[in-house]
Amino acid sequence: MGVMPIGKLLMSMSVPMMISMLVQALYNVVDSMFVARLNESALTAVSLAFPVQNLMIAVGTGTGVGINALVSRSLGEKDTEHANSAANNGIYLSIFSFMAFAFLTGVFGPLFFKVQTDNAQIISYGVSYVRIIGIMSFGMYMQFVGEKLLQSTGKTVYSMLTQILGAVINIILDPIMIFGLFGFPRLEVAGAAVATVTGQIIAAVVGMIVNIKVNRELHISLVKYRLSKKVVKNIYSVGFPSIIMASIGSVMTFGMNKILMGFTSTATAVFGVYFKLQSFVFMPVFGLNNGMVPIVAYNYGARKPERITKTIRLSVLCAVCIMLLGLSVFQLMPGVLLNFFNASDAMREIGIPALRIISVSFILAGFSVVSCSVFQALGHGFLSLAVSVMRQLFVLLPAAFLLSKIGGLHVIWWAFPFAEIFSACICAVFMRYTYKKEIRPLKKI
């Protein structure tokens, strides 16, 4: 990571992750596509469950970002012992995360849905879904840490393969579990959850085996490396802002669902469909970031500022190109996208203009997403947190609420482009600050 040409290195690190992220996006969409075949209430239940699922993912990915950055930086500084300690402490943290969400979803699942709706069918579908994905979440958290350890040492191909394995298993099991094929019981929405956790568990097992057998730069041993307060603090100094940042997305989604449910549950279903579809655009950018972060962190530890800046510029360019492609698809064929989810006439009427309006925000989103990852890689996760808080809680939600009162349902969606303009401006200011504080001083050493 310190000598290979940046373009070749970034592609070798990122392309496998982009492919695996696309597969992840595919199985997220397939889940909802099959669930939508049951009825609109089933699709709405999964949409209302998204904030809980997103919060769980936020904890896993945020912790993973901290592990990835700390391990990569330690390896760049030739501190193998610290890298090993970070890797093993990451496994401990994944176990604690699972225990917390198993308790929360098991106890508070019904209350979460009753706060949002009084529709008994939606509540029943939603509670069964979140309880299964929460109580069986150990697979998801172990999968996250296994993938991040492989990414931190540049073995993104193995990380890609474990992600694809879990996704393919999920896609295969979805129709079997949901509709009761081949002698299996018909589990409906619960079947989608069972398929998801089964894929995660299998991918986690394979991922940890690959780390032990192939990832020679790191040594996995929970006996030798005990839980360290100092290492955990270092992991979360980078990862905690990322967790909060992604968790704020759950708050935003919950708030948007409440606003939309005030009009019709169909609008909430449309919002849920949008989140599934936009993952095809954002997931490749996140994959690009997963390849970029260890490169930036490693070269920061190795004090090579030219490689850092070149990596950032190339990453922004690639992200913007991906976003423009996504914008074109959303603008040209929103009706086709909605039909994948068995959209009713009412859903098409709401969804077609919604997808076109929201996708305008893609134009600037690529720059903002890459910028936030750069802040995290250089140890300034609080800047990413500030961007996320301001964008989603201080701009997006208030704007959506005001627009719902002023213009009704069809103008709510303009809150997204407005919030993205604000986010890009803030990211530009923070990027300039980060360059002056962290990157430029390296040239003088």
Side-chain angles (χ1 to χ4, degrees):
M1 285 194 284
V3 295
M4 185 184 293
I6 291 298
K8 182 179 179 180
L9 176 62
L10 183 62
M11 290 302 102
S12 67
M13 294 282 286
S14 299
V15 169
M17 293 310 307
M18 294 167 73
I19 294 172
S20 63
M21 287 290 190
L22 279 172
V23 175
Q24 292 285 319
L26 176 62
Y27 92 73
N28 285 335
V29 169
V30 169
D31 267 359
S32 293
M33 287 172 60
F34 283 124
V35 165
R37 295 297 186 273
L38 295 172
N39 51 58
E40 192 172 293
S41 291
L43 181 59
T44 301
V46 173
S47 298
L48 292 178
F50 181 77
V52 175
Q53 196 167 19
N54 187 63
L55 181 61
M56 294 170 58
I57 293 172
V59 172
T61 55
T63 304
V65 166
I67 296 167
N68 192 341
L70 184 57
V71 171
S72 297
R73 184 178 298 183
S74 298
L75 291 175
E77 295 169 346
K78 311 302 180 184
D79 190 349
T80 305
E81 193 67 16
H82 196 242
N84 284 330
S85 182
N88 285 276
N89 273 263
I91 296 175
Y92 283 117
L93 294 175
S94 70
I95 295 172
F96 297 150
S97 299
F98 148 66
M99 294 171 63
F101 280 102
F103 172 77
L104 291 173
T105 56
V107 175
F108 297 107
L111 177 62
F112 175 78
F113 284 93
K114 289 177 182 177
V115 169
Q116 300 182 83
T117 180
D118 57 2
N119 186 307
Q121 187 177 41
I122 293 176
I123 293 173
S124 176
Y125 279 145
V127 171
S128 63
Y129 185 84
V130 298
R131 278 182 166 168
I132 292 170
I133 63 171
I135 294 172
M136 302 297 290
S137 63
F138 59 88
M140 180 185 73
Y141 287 113
M142 292 303 294
Q143 182 183 0
F144 278 139
V145 71
E147 290 169 357
K148 292 301 181 182
L149 294 181
L150 290 168
Q151 292 168 23
S152 66
T153 57
K155 296 177 175 61
T156 53
V157 172
Y158 291 104
S159 178
M160 175 191 71
L161 293 176
T162 59
Q163 284 189 315
I164 290 177
L165 174 64
V168 169
I169 291 172
N170 188 0
I171 292 171
I172 293 173
L173 292 180
D174 261 333
I176 296 174
M177 298 295 187
I178 293 172
F179 301 112
L181 305 179
F182 308 117
F184 283 84
R186 180 186 174 94
L187 300 177
E188 299 192 340
V189 175
V194 172
T196 297
V197 298
T198 301
Q200 291 168 346
I201 292 169
I202 294 174
V205 172
V206 173
M208 294 311 297
I209 291 174
V210 171
N211 267 289
I212 294 170
K213 298 293 185 181
V214 176
N215 211 354
R216 300 298 184 184
E217 291 89 343
L218 300 173
H219 179 59
I220 305 299
S221 174
L222 297 183
V223 175
K224 179 178 179 181
Y225 297 96
R226 301 298 179 88
L227 192 65
S228 166
K229 181 178 179 180
K230 180 180 178 181
V231 173
V232 170
K233 182 179 179 180
N234 288 337
I235 289 173
Y236 281 127
S237 67
V238 175
F240 187 72
S242 181
I243 293 172
I244 299 300
M245 181 172 60
S247 300
I248 289 167
S250 294
V251 176
M252 182 276 293
T253 306
F254 180 82
M256 283 295 297
N257 284 339
K258 289 285 287 183
I259 294 171
L260 295 172
M261 284 292 284
F263 291 95
T264 169
S265 62
T266 302
T268 304
V270 167
F271 187 52
V273 166
Y274 159 72
F275 261 100
K276 299 294 184 179
L277 292 172
Q278 61 90 33
S279 65
F280 276 107
V281 183
F282 281 85
M283 284 296 193
V285 178
F286 294 152
L288 176 71
N289 284 351
N290 285 340
M292 177 197 70
V293 166
I295 298 174
V296 172
Y298 182 96
N299 285 283
Y300 181 73
R303 301 188 179 279
K304 297 182 178 181
E306 294 81 7
R307 291 179 64 81
I308 296 173
T309 54
K310 189 171 182 179
T311 301
I312 294 171
R313 286 197 298 267
L314 185 57
S315 298
V316 170
L317 177 62
C318 292
V320 170
C321 290
I322 293 170
M323 287 295 181
L324 289 176
L325 179 61
L327 171 65
S328 301
V329 174
F330 272 67
Q331 292 295 322
L332 295 175
M333 53 180 70
V336 174
L337 297 176
L338 289 168
N339 285 340
F340 289 136
F341 298 86
N342 201 30
S344 63
D345 290 340
M347 183 178 287
R348 287 175 59 86
E349 182 182 356
I350 296 171
I352 289 176
L355 294 185
R356 282 180 170 151
I357 293 169
I358 297 175
S359 63
V360 173
S361 64
F362 293 175
I363 297 172
L364 296 173
F367 169 72
S368 299
V369 172
V370 172
S371 296
C372 288
S373 293
V374 171
F375 304 151
Q376 294 167 355
L378 296 177
H380 288 279
F382 69 95
L383 296 180
S384 298
L385 174 60
V387 171
S388 186
V389 169
M390 288 187 285
R391 176 185 176 273
Q392 298 186 77
L393 298 189
F394 295 164
V395 180
L396 180 55
L397 268 184
F401 178 76
L402 291 174
L403 289 172
S404 71
K405 298 300 182 182
I406 296 171
L409 176 61
H410 291 293
V411 300
I412 289 176
W413 316 110
W414 283 106
F416 286 86
F418 179 70
E420 204 57 60
I421 293 172
F422 176 85
S423 176
C425 292
I426 296 297
C427 281
V429 173
F430 286 171
M431 184 68 84
R432 182 177 176 83
Y433 165 81
T434 303
Y435 176 79
K436 288 183 175 180
K437 184 174 179 61
E438 301 295 345
I439 300 174
R440 191 164 66 181
L442 296 178
K443 297 179 180 181
K444 301 176 182 179
I445 298 175

